[in-house]
Amino acid sequence: MANEGVLRIEGLRKAYGDNVVIDGLDLTVQPGEVVVVIGPSGCGKSTLLRCINGLEEIQGGRIMLDDAEVDGRSKNIAQIRQKLGMVFQSYDLFPHKTIIDNVTLSPIIVQKRPKAEVVAEGEALLDRVGLLDKRDDYPRQLSGGQKQRVAIARALAMKPEIMLLDEITAALDPEMVHEVLDVILDLAREGKTMIIVTHEMSFARAVADRVIFLEGGHIVEEGIPEQFFTNPKTDRARAFLRTFEFDAVRSHV
Amino acid sequence: MDFGAMAEYLPLFEQAMWLTLRIGWVGILGSLVIGLIVAMITHYKVPVLYQISLFYIELYRNTPLLIQLFFMYFALPRVFGFGIDAEMCGMLGLALLGGAYMAESFRSGLDAVEPIQTESALSLGMTKWQVMRYIVLPQAVTLSIQSFVANVIFLLKETSVFSAISLMDLMFVAKDLIGLYYKTTECLVMLVIFYLIIILPVSILGTVVERKLRYGAFGS
């Protein structure tokens, strides 16, 4: 029990043919910790999350959740995935299910929990993300931001130990980003363990216990947000952060 | 037009219509079952069965139903020493032909379901089977409905070659009556009307179902 919810990644290597995407990555995430992963596009951020969830076959190293190895080909992968709640960048709600069914389907068919209990919990979760009134709507009737909030509620319904968020606001209109990120800030306040891939730097700064800067498939720099964002140690991180500042300078002109 | 004669022929056409419907119904049901299984095999590329399925699809889609029926009705008994009756032949022939078409329709439906749907279902802890049953299959069927309906109509029309293996279907009755009484126009008009009676409701129902399902699932 002491190890409950600990994620350990050792020497992770992921390649598509000759193209090495993640190259010997080590990372340990403690319960209650919020780790934000940032880096230029193509640096392997999303791939990292997909590996953690066993959606990608890995070419080396290992990923351990508590005492179980995460392996997409193993028989117990479905059990392990129940402990890992994932939200993707693209809206991935099930279009043929109502909002409440989206949230309750997995707890009912996977965890085989009583329907009444699951529905009550699902309604509470929808209420929490401010969408209880959309209970019986279909995903197509919702805005992008609302869909992502449902996707978060759907992942939470499985009571995961760790949440994996893969650029969940990247496809949203700017005015909808906040409503989604507020939900995540709320989860962080509650002490939910999360690994977050994002391009929203001010959000990263607000939510992170630890920031990891990924480039070329390995961790170039990591640290607490105050130190990382105000005084990065590596040139690469400094250059990366400057690409965000550049926009800000231009807007003052 | 000799309406008196047409009224006289009516019971014969009606009887033939029931035969067509009986064979058509069983054949189409069979084609859906075969199509579903073969589509799954080709979508998931199940080894060995995949190659057999591709061969089956190409064989049946690229040869005329008439020849397929001839093989089953005339050639098989000679090879194996036993045959099946004409009605059974018709049902099986229709099911096998339709299966090849249904498999292709259904496979394109399966392929059209976004991979992210499978991934997000897996990430919620579902097994592969649960993903198929609850997430992919319902969406794929909805996406395929339109071409399913087109296939059903096509198969019902194909039943007109059954007369060649001595099944007394609509075509058989019409040809028979023309040969006997030379009321060609009357018989052909009745033939058209009876095919419309069979197929038009399928067309209309198909459109309604398709619209309903699409709206329910995707809102477009």
Side-chain angles (χ1 to χ4, degrees), chain A residues 50 53 55 78 81-82 84 86 88 90 92-97 105-106 109-110 112 138 140 154-155 158, chain B residues 116-127 130 134-136 138-139 142 214-220:
Chain A
R50 294 172 59 82
N53 210 355
L55 289 172
R81 281 184 181 134
Q82 292 179 41
L84 297 162
M86 182 137 180
F88 296 84
S90 55
D92 60 322
L93 297 182
F94 306 131
H96 59 301
K97 300 268 177 208
L105 178 66
S106 243
I109 66 165
V110 175
K112 312 251 188 285
Y138 281 90
R140 65 188 146 83
R154 185 177 66 175
M158 295 295 285
Chain B
I116 187 83
Q117 290 285 319
T118 299
E119 287 180 350
S120 57
L122 285 175
S123 79
L124 286 165
M126 288 187 211
T127 60
Q130 286 172 326
Y134 292 98
I135 306 303
V136 176
Q139 293 186 58
T142 308
R214 276 214 159 231
Y215 188 75
F218 305 111
S220 55

Side-chain angles (χ1 to χ4, degrees), chain B residues 166-179:
Chain B
S166 73
L167 276 171
M168 285 188 265
D169 75 328
L170 288 170
M171 196 68 194
F172 185 94
V173 169
K175 277 198 287 195
D176 209 29
L177 289 170
I178 291 169

Side-chain angles (χ1 to χ4, degrees), chain B:
Chain B
M1 288 249 266
D2 184 347
F3 290 105
M6 284 168 87
E8 228 171 279
Y9 300 157
L10 203 59
L12 290 170
F13 273 98
E14 201 202 317
Q15 223 176 355
M17 179 182 80
W18 291 119
L19 178 104
T20 299
L21 279 177
R22 195 165 61 239
I23 296 176
W25 157 245
V26 176
I28 286 162
L29 210 68
S31 75
L32 280 171
V33 173
I34 294 172
L36 217 73
I37 295 168
V38 172
M40 298 274 222
I41 290 170
T42 51
H43 181 71
Y44 286 110
K45 301 205 163 59
V46 183
V48 187
L49 288 179
Y50 175 63
Q51 278 78 17
I52 295 172
S53 296
L54 286 188
F55 177 72
Y56 155 69
I57 289 171
E58 294 312 322
L59 181 70
Y60 272 82
R61 274 169 33 115
N62 296 305
T63 51
L65 176 60
L66 188 60
I67 294 171
Q68 295 165 15
L69 289 176
F70 276 176
F71 256 92
M72 233 183 305
Y73 192 63
F74 298 116
L76 279 189
R78 277 161 211 242
V79 178
F80 294 109
F82 68 91
I84 43 179
D85 68 59
E87 202 168 311
M88 191 66 192
C89 255
M91 288 170 179
L92 200 61
L94 206 61
L96 284 170
L97 173 75
Y101 278 88
M102 294 292 186
E104 286 294 88
S105 299
F106 193 58
R107 179 166 65 150
S108 72
L110 284 173
D111 291 347
V113 177
E114 301 275 346
I116 187 83
Q117 290 285 319
T118 299
E119 287 180 350
S120 57
L122 285 175
S123 79
L124 286 165
M126 288 187 211
T127 60
K128 274 184 185 162
W129 171 247
Q130 286 172 326
V131 174
M132 183 40 75
R133 157 88 176 71
Y134 292 98
I135 306 303
V136 176
L137 214 58
Q139 293 186 58
V141 168
T142 308
L143 290 164
S144 313
I145 281 289
Q146 202 169 17
S147 64
F148 277 177
V149 172
N151 287 343
V152 169
I153 292 168
F154 158 75
L155 290 172
L156 285 174
K157 287 192 280 195
E158 283 294 297
T159 58
S160 60
V161 304
F162 285 167
S163 57
I165 53 168
S166 73
L167 276 171
M168 285 188 265
D169 75 328
L170 288 170
M171 196 68 194
F172 185 94
V173 169
K175 277 198 287 195
D176 209 29
L177 289 170
I178 291 169
L180 281 172
Y181 306 113
Y182 300 107
K183 305 269 187 204
T184 308
T185 317
E186 285 80 355
C187 285
L188 289 180
V189 167
M190 287 185 82
L191 194 56
V192 169
I193 290 172
F194 269 92
Y195 272 112
L196 283 177
I197 291 173
I198 292 176
I199 296 173
L200 215 52
V202 176
S203 253
I204 294 166
L205 197 73
T207 313
V208 172
V209 168
E210 194 233 323
R211 213 174 280 163
K212 261 221 156 80
L213 269 180
R214 276 214 159 231
Y215 188 75
F218 305 111
S220 55

Side-chain angles (χ1 to χ4, degrees), chain A residues 129 145-146 148-149 152 168-169 172-186 189 200 202-203 206:
Chain A
V129 298
Q146 291 171 332
Q148 284 302 56
R149 277 144 65 195
I152 294 165
I168 57 169
T169 59
L172 294 180
D173 290 336
E175 66 266 30
M176 289 172 183
V177 170
H178 226 284
E179 65 184 48
V180 175
L181 296 186
D182 280 342
V183 174
I184 304 303
L185 283 168
D186 201 39
R189 235 171 264 131
E200 302 285 338
S202 57
F203 166 68

